[in-house]
Amino acid sequence: YNWFLFISGSIPIFIIYKIIIKNEKKYPIFTFFLFMLILFFRGPVDIIRHFFAASIYLSAIWSLSNENKTLYWIKSIFSIFFHYSNIIILFIKPFLNIKWNKIKFFISIFITFFIGIFSKILLININNFNFWNTDNVILWKFGYYLTYSDSVGYNYLGIPHKVLLSIIRYFPLVFSFIITIMALNKIEIIKNSKFVYLLLNSQILGILIAIFFIIMEAPTLGMRLHFLLNIGSFFIVKEILLKNNIKNTLLYGFTILSLVFYNFLIILYNAGIHNPASPFYLF
């Protein structure tokens, strides 16, 4: 079984490696390094099946950037067989061509916030009719994640556990938000690569969807979809750090140190510093 997990985690890493080699002529090693910092513990180490499906989606975006729409749809549909959440790919294609700017981005966040509040009220009424009591596996799974609340169904071992897990969970969302703002400030650089431009649009959609479901009190579903649509974020980070006309050493250092600190927190969490029963408990 361990070998099965190892192979299941290695194949998508190889897929991503091949995409990096195809897209990066100048900075392949640094790009792969960013991928490891951003996604290694979240992806092949943690959510192996979801990571597998997300890597196929990244490959589909690569095909789309090369004007191969047929292969994009084939890969997108194929990825659904690895994880149900990839069904969303079938609906976001038209939104990948939106021309974003900071004003439009912030307005979209504002609108998403209020749509989320309205949808939460609607969801309460739907639950009164036991709408999710269905034999359809996909619909039932969606209903489970949509109505599952951490505050009710998750047993925290204490305040340190809740704080540490919240930081680990939401750091990717905050990080992608900051990266998106920076990318929109340098949108002409991003547009030089259609592949990276599509990834930025996908990342923006992931942020909006995550915010929507967090407002709906379904953070697990929101962050899973954010992970999927944010799978190519390391390409965007590379563009910002290495293709800026003004090299900013402080920005470079802060970005790398932030990612290293994030990975360090994950290691501490997995070591059990939040668990009173663990020999590594620190609180």
Side-chain angles (χ1 to χ4, degrees), residues 12 15-16 18-19 22 52-66 68 71-73 75-76 78-79 195 199 231-232 235:
I15 292 173
I16 291 176
K18 292 292 290 184
I19 296 173
K22 290 178 181 178
F52 205 132
S55 68
I56 298 174
Y57 169 65
L58 181 63
S59 181
I61 292 292
W62 168 257
S63 298
L64 184 62
S65 69
N66 288 280
N68 194 333
L71 195 55
Y72 166 82
W73 286 114
K75 291 178 179 178
S76 297
F78 180 65
S79 71
F195 176 55
L199 291 177
I231 187 66
F235 282 106

Side-chain angles (χ1 to χ4, degrees), residues 9 16 76 80 130 211 219 231 242 256 268 270:
I16 291 176
S76 297
I80 297 173
N130 201 20
I211 291 174
I231 187 66
L242 298 185
I256 299 301
L268 291 178
N270 291 332

Side-chain angles (χ1 to χ4, degrees), residues 120-130:
K120 178 61 181 177
I121 297 173
L122 182 63
L123 178 64
I124 294 174
N125 294 326
I126 291 177
N127 286 339
N128 291 334
F129 291 99
N130 201 20

Side-chain angles (χ1 to χ4, degrees), residues 154 157-158 160-162 164-165 168 263-283:
Y154 198 89
L157 298 176
H161 182 198
K162 186 172 184 178
L164 188 59
L165 186 58
I168 292 173
N263 283 275
F264 181 66
L265 285 182
I266 295 177
I267 293 173
L268 291 178
Y269 180 83
N270 291 332
I273 65 168
H274 62 285
N275 189 350
S278 170
F280 300 99
Y281 182 67
L282 298 180
F283 299 98

Side-chain angles (χ1 to χ4, degrees), residues 4 15 19 41 67 99 105 113 121 123 134 158 168 183 202 209 219 246 275 279:
F4 172 76
I15 292 173
I19 296 173
F41 282 116
E67 304 299 334
K99 296 181 179 179
F105 179 51
F113 179 83
I121 297 173
L123 178 64
T134 173
I168 292 173
S202 178
I209 290 172
I246 302 176
N275 189 350

Side-chain angles (χ1 to χ4, degrees), residues 10 21 39 48 63 65 72 96 112 117 121 147 206 225 236 243:
S10 298
I21 295 300
L39 293 171
I48 298 176
S63 298
S65 69
Y72 166 82
L96 291 175
T112 300
I117 294 175
I121 297 173
T147 56
L225 295 176
I236 303 171
K243 292 192 177 180

